[in-house]
Amino acid sequence: MKRILILDDNLTICLMLKSWLVKQHYQADTAISVQEAQQKVKNEAYDLILSDIRMPEADGFSFLSWIKKFDSDILVIMMTGYADIETAVESMKLGAVDYIAKPIEAEVLYKKIDDALKYQENQKITEQFRDSLIRPGGEIYTRVFDKLSEVVHDDSHLLVIGDKGTGKTSVAHYIYSRSRIDSGPFVTFDLDSQVLNRNGERRDYEELFLQALDKAKGGLLLVKNLQKTGINFQTLLLKALSSQKKDDNFVQIIITTGEKKEQLTSVLLPKLVDSLLRSYIELPTLRGNEEAILFYAEHFLGVANRQLDRKVKNIAPEVLEAFFKHSWEENIKELKNLIFKACLLTEGNTVPETILPVLFKNLAGEGTESVQPQKQVIEGLKKENYEKEKIIEALGIAKGNKTVAASILNIDRKTLYNKIKLYNVELN
């Protein structure tokens, strides 16, 4: 359920809009001052804000500017009188996604909110698919991309085997972006997530899979975490892989697993294993692959510069050497997060050796000469003090921007907001 904040100094308007939005199944809160709105934004993870432009103590422009710095993922629609349309258009140049004129019509409001949320979702998908899979040098990557070209050309199914963070989902994005860019939908079905119905009861994977398959008609269905499945589901999957016709409703199925190829025979039906192993790839890990580590580090440095508006050109040899020695338990995903953090910590144009104490930790214990990098992706956030420390550290690095801080911590925005409230983290 999307959460919306309404900011208007007229309480009657706030309550009217809230009643409309609640009927449309949104969660809606109100604020009658910029100060009250800022406090609520600090406490809750809003998806969209409806903000008046003209208010007594501060205008909507200053609030919009504050929002873009505080949490750049929050959408803002400006509300204005007909006489201020030019001003409203100007607000879009400052980051508002749209504007709506008063008196507000309910149907117009619903459409603008719906369009804004869909636009944001499409932007996220586009961002995911842009450079979804980049190609380092080396024979192993050549084999992987040769197989992917074959799958794209033949519109065939594919099993993707790989450790955490090696790019299994990116493979599906890569295939979709090349073979079905203007065709059917991209649908994800994750076997590792527990899906509940309205009564809080767990739903059958078989029922949900059939729904996902139907939704993906003419497009691509990504089935994640194949190892988390039972015989009934495997039977359905085998039927979907073998019985589809290549027509307008054909669904290309990409299946991912963290299990090794040899282990699949012990967790899957023999017929399903035979079918899957006719078309599969195994993604390499980064561990010990200096050529790939250097390639991805330079690539993500460029991405970080663009997204964070930085101008870091190089990585010090000492930092690269530490990268080469690291175990990279979360592979490409971990390296990307590390590069983004390094870029945020760097003041000049070169990632310096001096930031290593912040990035890295001695995991080998006393008496060991080698220093290995600290795992940057914060999983689970287990202990209260540790969680709070890391949240404060991430917010400091991100200069208070919640979107960037959540990315550094590798958690979603709503989880970050909940943790901030739980530990009473003070926000400047």
Side-chain angles (χ1 to χ4, degrees):
M1 187 179 291
K2 299 294 184 180
R3 192 169 199 131
I4 298 175
L5 176 65
I6 304 156
L7 169 59
D8 196 301
D9 59 305
N10 188 320
L11 180 59
T12 303
I13 291 177
C14 285
L15 295 177
M16 178 189 71
L17 296 179
K18 179 177 179 177
S19 68
W20 289 357
L21 295 176
V22 169
K23 289 177 182 177
Q24 295 297 308
H25 307 292
Y26 293 110
Q27 286 183 306
D29 298 324
T30 63
I32 58 172
S33 70
V34 169
Q35 185 177 5
E36 182 185 0
Q38 287 176 334
Q39 190 58 50
K40 288 192 173 183
V41 169
K42 289 177 181 180
N43 293 334
E44 302 293 343
Y46 290 103
D47 298 287
L48 184 144
I49 296 174
L50 292 169
S51 173
D52 195 15
I53 289 182
R54 304 291 182 185
M55 289 175 285
E57 84 287 4
D59 63 30
F61 290 118
S62 60
F63 179 66
L64 175 62
S65 176
W66 180 84
I67 283 291
K68 290 297 133 185
K69 292 176 182 176
F70 186 85
D71 188 341
S72 53
D73 267 3
I74 301 177
L75 300 170
V76 180
I77 295 177
M78 307 302 290
M79 301 184 291
T80 184
Y82 281 113
D84 288 330
I85 294 298
E86 289 185 11
T87 305
V89 172
E90 188 65 27
S91 72
M92 294 181 68
K93 297 178 182 178
L94 300 176
V97 69
D98 204 345
Y99 67 90
I100 185 168
K102 295 180 178 179
I104 295 171
E105 297 178 17
E107 294 304 321
V108 175
L109 177 64
Y110 301 153
K111 186 175 188 312
K112 284 184 176 286
I113 291 175
D114 189 49
D115 287 347
L117 293 171
K118 283 181 179 177
Y119 173 80
Q120 184 185 56
E121 194 61 34
N122 288 338
Q123 286 294 101
K124 287 180 179 179
I125 293 173
T126 301
E127 187 62 35
Q128 284 179 333
F129 290 179
R130 186 182 297 130
D131 300 326
S132 55
L133 197 65
I134 51 177
R135 179 176 181 167
E139 183 180 343
I140 189 167
Y141 288 101
T142 298
R143 291 199 301 270
V144 166
F145 277 83
D146 284 348
K147 180 61 180 179
L148 294 181
S149 296
E150 177 188 317
V151 170
V152 169
H153 181 268
D154 296 341
D155 218 13
S156 56
H157 308 305
L158 181 71
L159 170 67
V160 185
I161 301 170
D163 289 346
K164 190 172 185 180
T166 49
K168 298 187 291 294
T169 299
S170 293
V171 165
H173 290 166
Y174 177 89
I175 293 169
Y176 179 83
S177 67
R178 278 153 181 77
S179 59
R180 299 179 170 275
I181 195 66
D182 292 318
S183 187
F186 183 103
V187 178
T188 300
F189 182 75
D190 192 347
L191 288 157
D192 200 26
S193 62
Q194 180 170 306
V195 184
L196 306 178
N197 62 19
R198 291 183 178 179
N199 297 322
E201 300 167 339
R202 184 166 178 168
R203 301 176 65 184
D204 291 335
Y205 280 128
E206 294 78 23
E207 174 195 349
L208 295 170
F209 173 72
L210 291 174
Q211 291 175 4
L213 192 64
D214 184 66
K215 185 178 179 182
K217 282 181 179 178
L220 184 145
L221 175 62
L222 170 60
V223 179
K224 301 175 71 171
N225 297 299
L226 177 64
Q227 67 275 12
K228 309 277 186 177
T229 183
I231 292 176
N232 290 340
F233 175 80
Q234 292 178 38
T235 303
L236 277 177
L237 179 59
L238 180 60
K239 182 179 179 181
L241 291 169
S242 58
S243 63
Q244 288 193 80
K245 296 180 180 179
K246 290 283 186 78
D247 55 21
D248 291 340
N249 289 325
F250 175 76
V251 178
Q252 188 173 24
I253 303 176
I254 308 300
I255 302 156
T256 71
T257 180
E259 297 284 352
K260 302 299 181 186
K261 183 176 70 170
E262 296 75 17
Q263 297 171 322
L264 293 177
T265 54
S266 63
V267 295
L268 300 179
L269 294 170
K271 285 186 178 180
L272 180 58
V273 174
D274 290 343
S275 175
L276 293 173
L277 293 185
R278 290 177 198 145
S279 179
Y280 76 95
I281 57 172
E282 292 186 74
L283 298 177
T285 62
L286 283 184
R287 197 173 301 115
N289 190 337
E290 294 188 9
E291 183 182 5
I293 291 170
L294 181 60
F295 175 87
Y296 283 117
E298 291 178 346
H299 171 78
F300 289 130
L301 184 62
V303 174
N305 278 323
R306 290 194 301 274
Q307 294 188 10
L308 303 175
D309 194 25
R310 305 303 287 265
K311 296 180 180 179
V312 182
K313 297 179 179 178
N314 306 298
I315 301 173
E318 296 82 2
V319 178
L320 288 175
E321 188 61 32
F323 287 180
F324 296 153
K325 292 178 180 178
H326 186 41
S327 60
W328 298 113
E329 294 179 24
E330 296 200 0
N331 292 286
I332 301 169
K333 179 181 178 181
E334 185 180 355
L335 177 54
K336 179 181 180 180
N337 288 337
L338 185 61
I339 291 294
F340 268 66
K341 187 172 184 179
C343 194
L344 285 165
L345 289 169
T346 299
E347 296 297 330
N349 60 10
T350 299
V351 176
E353 182 184 7
T354 54
I355 70 168
L356 290 179
V358 179
L359 291 177
F360 299 150
K361 179 182 178 181
N362 188 346
L363 301 178
E366 293 184 13
T368 304
E369 294 182 0
S370 64
V371 177
Q372 300 176 10
Q374 178 186 7
K375 188 176 179 183
Q376 294 306 306
V377 179
I378 298 177
E379 285 187 280
L381 296 174
K382 294 168 186 167
K383 295 183 180 178
E384 177 177 341
N385 290 340
Y386 179 75
E387 284 189 357
K388 188 171 182 178
E389 259 178 52
K390 290 301 176 185
I391 289 169
I392 292 171
E393 179 187 3
L395 287 167
I397 292 169
K399 301 187 186 324
N401 187 297
K402 300 298 171 300
T403 304
V404 176
S407 177
I408 292 171
L409 294 165
N410 198 36
I411 57 178
D412 61 62
R413 288 172 52 249
K414 293 194 176 182
T415 299
L416 176 60
Y417 273 80
N418 289 335
K419 295 291 182 182
I420 288 171
K421 289 167 65 177
L422 178 64
Y423 301 131
N424 293 318
V425 176
E426 293 186 8
L427 302 172
N428 296 324

